[in-house]
Amino acid sequence: MQDLQAFTFRRDELFALADKYSEQFRTASPFRHVVIDDFLPPEVLEPVLAEFPEPRDATWQRFDTAREVKLALADPERMGPATRHLLAEFNGGVFIDFLERLTGITNLVSDPHFEGGGLHQIRPGGFLKVHADFNRSRRLNLDRRLNGLLYLNKDWQEDYGGHLQLWNKDMTACEGKVLPIFNRFVLFATTDDANHGHPDPLTCPEDRARRSMALYYYSNGRPADEVTEEHTTLFRQRPGEAWKSNLRQVAKRWTPPALADLVGGRKTKGE
């Protein structure tokens, strides 16, 4: 197995990909995006999978609402060494050069804090409703420009669900569905009309989960036609869709946080 610590991105290899897919990214519908399969040498991802935290691990931040039921982990100190090394490569200058060449967006900046990103995991029954992402990082004081998603799901079947759905600006039609198969990389421009999500409850077997890495990239300013008021995540309803909280979610809203932590066995920050 390849020593992950010896793996680094190379401009010659990445620039060939950028030149191959740049036109596809620029002209994609319903918003600028590209899907690249077999993105990394498979052996690079094996140690990442081996150390990927299990769903019951207390390191996960848990989201459980009518709009999202998922797990997230952004703190590198709670990740394994292979994961930290690969995330550092995604945040490095060589990969930034690749993104700029592929997208035409210049002066990109990676996020060392993985705000909203890092590792994501969705268990059976979980989902993330269609949304447009927050458009600015207050911590970095920068505009969010690109989302990168690397899927880590081996032998993922179509009937497991978990497709990333791409919806048009008016939320009248889903124009694309991306199955989250192993080593598939998805990159898209982060704008207010980039409506995307995994809105249907996951139907994979109970011993499986939808796993991914999420990378976000920023710049100081953005084109005038993309400028809007600063906002957090903008959730969008699909035609005929209604968001209803289940009993667990209703109870959670009325349960004091300290009691919820005790019952759920969750660790507080810093433990």
Side-chain angles (χ1 to χ4, degrees):
M1 181 178 295
Q2 178 173 335
D3 180 4
L4 179 63
Q5 300 301 319
F7 170 77
T8 57
F9 284 120
R10 297 176 55 87
R11 285 187 179 86
D12 56 347
E13 297 172 351
L14 288 178
F15 281 11
L17 278 180
D19 294 342
K20 178 179 178 180
Y21 288 103
S22 60
E23 179 68 12
Q24 182 176 324
F25 175 87
R26 187 182 65 82
T27 60
S29 180
F31 47 82
R32 288 171 293 163
H33 74 277
V34 69
V35 178
I36 306 177
D37 286 340
D38 302 317
F39 190 67
L40 292 169
E43 60 269 22
V44 171
L45 296 180
E46 293 297 338
V48 175
L49 287 175
E51 66 188 23
F52 204 95
E54 292 299 318
R56 293 184 180 181
D57 195 300
T59 60
W60 292 102
Q61 181 181 7
R62 302 174 187 275
F63 296 84
D64 188 1
T65 71
R67 299 179 180 183
E68 53 186 345
V69 177
K70 68 175 186 178
L71 306 175
L73 176 58
D75 184 358
E77 283 194 334
R78 295 176 179 267
M79 301 175 190
T83 304
R84 295 178 71 168
H85 177 81
L86 186 55
L87 287 173
E89 283 296 301
F90 276 119
N91 270 3
V94 174
F95 198 74
I96 293 294
D97 289 346
F98 159 70
L99 293 176
E100 292 182 343
R101 186 170 178 128
L102 171 61
T103 67
I105 301 173
T106 59
N107 302 315
L108 287 172
V109 177
S110 58
D111 177 14
H113 312 291
F114 303 106
E115 180 183 3
L119 302 182
H120 290 170
Q121 184 165 212
I122 295 180
R123 294 280 293 137
F127 54 83
L128 175 60
K129 295 301 183 180
V130 176
H131 62 282
D133 290 309
F134 67 85
N135 62 351
R136 189 168 177 80
S137 168
R138 292 187 177 181
R139 184 170 190 174
L140 299 177
N141 195 28
L142 295 172
D143 292 279
R144 186 167 167 182
R145 304 298 303 281
L146 290 171
N147 280 27
L149 301 171
L150 179 66
Y151 293 113
L152 301 171
N153 308 298
K154 283 188 171 181
D155 305 316
W156 195 262
Q157 305 299 314
E158 189 82 26
D159 60 2
Y160 290 177
H163 300 76
L164 175 69
Q165 296 188 12
L166 310 178
W167 282 74
N168 62 8
K169 180 177 181 179
D170 299 327
M171 286 299 298
T172 57
C174 175
E175 295 190 10
K177 290 186 177 182
V178 181
L179 196 67
I181 62 174
F182 180 72
N183 208 5
R184 171 171 280 175
F185 182 69
V186 180
L187 181 73
F188 60 90
T190 311
T191 55
D192 286 2
D193 59 0
N195 299 316
H196 66 283
H198 154 36
D200 296 318
L202 197 61
T203 56
C204 66
E206 285 297 321
D207 62 345
R208 300 294 303 267
R210 181 185 188 272
R211 296 175 168 179
S212 61
M213 277 186 172
L215 301 311
Y216 306 143
Y217 302 91
Y218 298 80
S219 67
N220 184 9
R222 65 192 313 144
D225 62 350
E226 294 183 10
V227 174
T228 60
E229 292 294 324
E230 182 178 335
H231 61 74
T232 58
T233 304
L234 302 174
F235 282 94
R236 319 283 199 190
Q237 287 182 311
R238 295 177 291 174
E241 183 177 44
W243 297 329
K244 296 181 180 180
S245 299
N246 59 34
L247 291 177
R248 181 186 69 252
Q249 293 161 352
V250 172
K252 182 179 178 181
R253 287 203 299 269
W254 290 97
T255 302
L259 180 59
D261 287 344
L262 179 63
V263 172
R266 294 197 299 267
K267 295 182 179 179
T268 58
K269 185 176 180 181
E271 290 186 316

